[in-house]
Amino acid sequence: MSETKKIKITLIRSLIGTIAVHRACAKGLGLRHRHHSVEVLNTPENIGMINKISYLLKVEY
């Protein structure tokens, strides 16, 4: 069984003033507030959400 890589993401900018779809992506990734960090699996679904709100995030591979 191969080990799935994880990506550490941190919400750098506030969700106030963003569109609802972008807020939903942040919630789907498990981000709650500014400077909150989570580790997510490197899956196509998560990469798509990260790419959509990349202007709000800091991503570490």
Side-chain angles (χ1 to χ4, degrees):
M1 183 168 132
S2 65
E3 182 178 330
T4 306
K5 299 263 185 180
K6 290 193 173 187
I7 301 172
K8 181 177 179 183
I9 54 175
T10 305
L11 187 64
I12 296 299
R13 298 187 60 190
S14 175
L15 295 173
I16 296 172
T18 59
I19 62 175
V21 175
H22 291 189
R23 287 192 298 269
C25 285
K27 185 176 180 182
L29 289 168
L31 296 166
R32 297 168 186 254
H33 50 79
R34 282 185 60 209
H35 303 297
H36 184 226
S37 297
V38 294
E39 286 190 358
V40 296
L41 295 176
N42 188 0
T43 62
E45 295 84 5
N46 288 339
I47 295 296
M49 288 192 282
I50 289 169
N51 287 338
K52 183 169 272 194
I53 61 170
S54 63
Y55 66 101
L56 298 172
L57 304 175
K58 179 174 89 172
V59 181
E60 300 172 31
Y61 292 95

